Amino acid sequence: MTELERHDYDVVVIGAGGAGLRAAIEARQQGKRVAVVCKSLFGKAHTVMAEGGIAASMGNVNSDDNWQVHFRDTMRGGKFLNNWRMAELHAKEAPDRVWELETYGALFDRTKDGKISQRNFGGHEYPRLAHVGDRTGLELIRSLQQKIVSLQQEDKRETGDYESRLKVFAECTVTELLRDGDRIAGAFGYWRESGRFVLFGAPAVVLATGGIGKSFKVTSNSWEYTGDGHALALRAGASLINMEFVQFHPTGMVWPPSVKGILVTESVRGDGGVLRNSDGKRFMFDYIPDVFKDKYADNEDEADRWYTDQGNNRRPPELLPRDEVARAINSEVKAGRGSPHGGVFLDVSSRLPAEEIIRRLPSMHHQFKELADVDITKEPMEVGPTCHYVMGGVEVEPDTAASSVAGLFACGEVAGGMHGSNRLGGNSLSDLLVFGRRAGTGASEYVDGLGDKKPVIAESDVDAASRRAVAEFDGGEAGAQENPYTVHTQLQQTMNDLVGIIRRGGEVEQALVALEELKQRARNIVVEGHRQFNPGWHLALDLRNMLLVSECVAKAALLRTESRGGHTREDHPAMDADWRKQLLVCVLNAAGDGVDVTSKDQIPLRPDLMGLFEYTELAKYFTPGELADVPAKES
Ligand code: FAD
């Protein structure tokens, strides 16, 4: 029997970003004993890096905004591949989740009349992003943590112990989910500092582990984004959807090389910044796709007037959805009209007074000054696409966040469906709060429904999990031993070059061959030293997840022979209405060492939601058969 630390909870939440913390708060408020486990420091989740804001149709800056407009924008942004029920719940509930954050202590920037201020962002028809300068994620995490502390104080008053009902296990990585038959029974992991093992028994586990960006070379994501939750779900028997859709944010830093990929927030464009090529041309006017022509200005005068008169002018094309802007930048660079370091110019210095730039974009001002010696109040930034967000994730039931495995829930970036083929900026922070809360409720209700039929963890499963966790210390095949850093670097290069922003069938096939080789080589990874804080060992464990998740992305990317949102196939450049009806579903293969991908039909859009769109717009995305019963064909 493995010697290890053991804990029992009703609900274990893996991840302490916005989604995990909101789920934990909810489950605790529903009377459950809750553990929050996170591999980074408490407070250093990815959410803390969010800059621009939270999208919610509060209508504070433009009273025409409402949940229906937000729903429409989200579906358009996702090119109608979104799970419409998730998009509906999200649009309806986001304002309440933002106001609720204020009751936790969040302090947003205000309008002149004292309401929560809302800013413009790509793809959103009205100013909709509640924000705190360009440090919104920090405020979100700070206030969720504050709520957790206040709940712990209540628990102390009642039980004498702060952590009796809600405890955080920081710097603790989960490597496996354990089951009792088909049901979740707990999670197995290790303390990063000591390397000691820890076991959490729990009938319900909520995955809130964020994204997968560290599988790509140029990314805005930090070290913990290694697709752990995606891989844990697959290995536990759950399915992933939409894995071919990876968002490349149009504006990452391109220079100096050490900071390549670091995000330049969309707020720069939302607050008036424009993109120019090496000829000084504002090139986005050349890249407005037909489906958006009626919504975006085709000349500079109208685009500039929009900032002060949104009722009578169309939006600037710099605020097209991210996939469109990223492809446009890619094309300009490829055509030889890029900036000196392989990006394009993003200029806010000629658009706003210096003091206004520093007030609205303090982090960007600081980031460029410190990292690139560029003063953005005086000169343009150089920017280019960077891997930013994965739309794909665990297939969940929208209302409860339940996966197909009993007792396993997922919310936040690790869950799939909400954003379809492309996420709009600001829609992640609201997604975390809406579905974090729903996952907390879903998990609590599931636990209540179990009565005394609680799952039990088999000792043999614990022994097997601990053996697998240290396998890399045993050394691979003599003469073929590998180092985790080399394998990781080659994985990142492969995904960047062959399954990146623009994909071609032949190249994705090459990527799949390369991934198979990397999987073989990963079996021979050897880590040296011992289990006390050993980053090589940590990376070796993370690599298993990155390889599995990369296989999902590449296999789904090869099968989807169309271009839509975050999936661009140069050999299939058009959007295909028949593909909109289909989801690609990834499951673990029978051998347990790879993934199978199959397609399944989307659930048809509910008629009343369909009625929110003009027939002419629907006709751009749906098949004639799907529109046969849609009324108001003449609209
Ligand atoms: P995270 O906040 O990343 O939390 C994941 C948690 O899981 C972490 O605590 C991590 O330690 C833990 N974890 C992972 N694996 C394990 C494991 N194996 N064991 C234990 N713990 C684990 N979105 C917006 O809507 N608006 C914005 O303005 C915005 N700006 C952004 C700026 C940047 C630079 C970036 C990178 C993203 C931005 N996004 C924005 C996207 C948004 O921040 C993320 O999608 C969102 O924060 C994800 O939240 P999450 O709760 O799902 O995961």
Side-chain angles (χ1 to χ4, degrees), residues 103-120:
T103 70
Y104 297 174
L107 282 172
F108 291 100
D109 290 354
R110 317 308 286 189
T111 60
K112 286 203 177 78
D113 51 354
K115 295 178 183 162
I116 293 176
S117 175
Q118 299 190 266
R119 63 160 46 120
N120 292 305

Side-chain angles (χ1 to χ4, degrees), residues 14-20 37-40 44-54 121 129 172-175 208-211 220-221 224-225 228-229 232 263 265 388-389 411-414 423 425-430 432:
I14 308 176
V37 188
C38 53
K39 74 180 189 183
S40 40
K44 163 53 198 93
H46 224 78
T47 303
V48 93
M49 295 161 72
E51 295 163 356
I54 308 180
F121 241 54
L129 270 71
C172 180
T173 302
V174 170
T175 58
T209 49
S220 65
N221 293 182
E224 68 267 52
Y225 262 22
D228 295 8
L232 288 168
L263 193 73
T265 177
H388 184 58
Y389 185 90
C411 54
E413 191 167 341
V414 70
R423 173 178 72 87
N427 268 1
S428 174
L429 293 189
S430 39
L432 310 182

